[in-house]
Amino acid sequence: QVQLIESGGGLVQAGGSLRLSCTFSGRTFSNYGMGWFRQAPGKEREVVAAIVWSGGSTYYVDSVKGRVTISRDNVKNKVYLQMNSLKPEDTAVYYCAARRGGTYYLKTDDYEYWGQGTQVTVSS
């Protein structure tokens, strides 16, 4: 059974940075595409970024392009989300997700496993 544990959330001022981490355990990490999602109060969960098993291909939602970088370390079994130039509208609970496969996935229904989430709050 896959387990995902996120860390790195917190309160930051607009313009600041945060680095989220997600630790994967239970299976072979490099067999999984990974994604970061977020859910703000009253809104649907949306994909922020996704990465293929090798790290060689990534996806970003338009609203974060140029500010956010997803990366992974297949030795440490971790996936990261570096967020810069944060805005109040980035405030949400951020979730890490995993799905076995050779590509990246963009829909919540595509993913098999989810972390518990980490809160990111950006103050203006």
Side-chain angles (χ1 to χ4, degrees):
Q1 183 74 4
V2 169
Q3 286 192 318
L4 301 171
I5 300 176
E6 302 100 335
S7 61
L11 173 63
V12 64
Q13 289 188 332
S17 297
L18 282 175
R19 188 196 196 202
L20 306 184
S21 297
C22 173
T23 301
F24 176 106
S25 63
R27 291 290 186 272
T28 302
F29 181 53
S30 59
N31 287 341
Y32 286 77
M34 301 296 296
W36 283 99
F37 287 72
R38 66 186 178 187
Q39 188 166 20
K43 294 188 176 181
E44 292 187 355
R45 192 171 298 189
E46 64 169 355
V47 65
V48 176
I51 189 167
V52 302
W53 69 274
S54 65
S57 184
T58 57
Y59 167 86
Y60 299 96
V61 70
D62 285 346
S63 59
V64 306
K65 283 181 180 177
R67 301 189 295 119
V68 166
T69 302
I70 187 171
S71 60
R72 65 189 293 160
D73 186 329
N74 284 353
V75 174
K76 294 183 178 179
N77 289 356
K78 290 180 180 287
V79 60
Y80 304 99
L81 191 72
Q82 177 67 45
M83 302 190 292
N84 301 323
S85 302
L86 282 161
K87 304 176 181 180
E89 51 263 44
D90 294 317
T91 295
V93 178
Y94 283 71
Y95 298 90
C96 171
R99 170 177 166 162
R100 184 179 175 91
T103 185
Y104 57 64
Y105 306 92
L106 304 182
K107 300 178 181 178
T108 55
D109 289 348
D110 290 334
Y111 284 87
E112 301 167 277
Y113 303 103
W114 293 85
Q116 81 288 351
T118 185
Q119 176 71 46
V120 171
T121 303
V122 184
S123 63
S124 57

